[in-house]
Amino acid sequence: MKQFIDHTLLKPTASLQQIEQLCQEAKENEFFAVCVNGCWVKQAVSFLKDSDVKVAAVVGFPLGAMHTKAKVFEAKQAVADGAQEIDMVLNLGNFKSENYHAVEEDIAAVKEAIGDCTLKVILETCYLEEEEIVKACELAVAAKADFVKTSTGFGSAGATLEHVKLMKSCVGKQAEVKASGGIRDRATAVKFIEAGATRIGTSSGIKIVTDI
């Protein structure tokens, strides 16, 4: 279970001491990664030295409505600071406007900017109908994203099993699925993994791996 966990702290009030604690917990529990805001990447990398825990940074977070150039700059800076994974937010405004070319180009530009680093695209599924989730997955795959991800955790709702199953059916073996938002115990995490998620984004990682 522990290798499924992206141990996450994205609160705007998160302090350096809390980021250090997050990283220490990730090392002790051998989580796959920590997920932090961009300003903390350098510090997280330092805290995690001599461990296998990766650092993921969010980009265009939590709204996704930034200019593509801003997302690219943010992603490049995060990678330069040591991030190995980028979790970017889909441009929902362009998506809802059916400007699908712009959505795909937005994702592709970030992927090009980060090279071999892992790119996860946050769809914010609580705002999408099922057919829209399918389309968003298609665009992410076409743009060479490595993962599609359910939620920021700041939307009106988090991950659902139905959405994860749908996303996995859409991307197949072309990408992986990260479930995030509202996953707070082991039993729930197991259900999402069984539904097709290969990564769980949560601030409750300790509880999940210690639940019996």
Side-chain angles (χ1 to χ4, degrees), residues 67-140:
H67 196 288
T68 296
K69 289 182 179 179
K71 288 182 179 177
V72 166
F73 179 87
E74 190 177 8
K76 283 183 174 180
Q77 186 62 55
V79 170
D81 287 343
Q84 297 140 302
E85 303 193 341
I86 297 296
D87 291 31
M88 71 170 286
V89 186
L90 185 86
N91 189 314
L92 283 165
N94 274 336
F95 186 85
K96 289 289 188 178
S97 302
E98 299 185 6
N99 189 356
Y100 300 133
H101 177 73
V103 174
E104 183 178 335
E105 287 297 303
D106 189 55
I107 300 167
V110 173
K111 179 58 183 175
E112 183 179 1
I114 67 173
D116 292 334
C117 295
T118 297
L119 177 63
K120 310 186 199 95
V121 179
I122 306 171
L123 308 186
E124 202 72 293
T125 51
C126 60
Y127 299 132
L128 303 177
E129 302 296 330
E130 286 192 359
E131 60 270 22
E132 292 178 315
I133 293 172
V134 171
K135 183 63 178 179
C137 287
E138 290 173 349
L139 293 171

Side-chain angles (χ1 to χ4, degrees), residues 40-59:
W40 298 121
V41 170
K42 273 189 177 180
Q43 292 91 335
V45 169
S46 177
F47 293 141
L48 291 168
K49 65 182 179 181
D50 302 322
S51 82
D52 293 327
V53 182
K54 298 183 185 299
V55 175
V58 291
V59 163

Side-chain angles (χ1 to χ4, degrees), residues 8-74:
T8 302
L9 180 56
L10 297 170
K11 293 179 180 179
T13 55
S15 67
L16 178 61
Q17 291 74 23
Q18 289 172 314
I19 297 297
E20 183 175 13
Q21 180 181 349
L22 181 85
C23 293
Q24 185 61 36
E25 291 170 350
K27 285 197 292 186
E28 290 173 355
N29 290 276
E30 299 178 330
F31 291 143
F32 191 91
V34 297
C35 187
V36 297
N37 282 299
C39 68
W40 298 121
V41 170
K42 273 189 177 180
Q43 292 91 335
V45 169
S46 177
F47 293 141
L48 291 168
K49 65 182 179 181
D50 302 322
S51 82
D52 293 327
V53 182
K54 298 183 185 299
V55 175
V58 291
V59 163
F61 193 87
L63 302 178
M66 301 72 181
H67 196 288
T68 296
K69 289 182 179 179
K71 288 182 179 177
V72 166
F73 179 87
E74 190 177 8

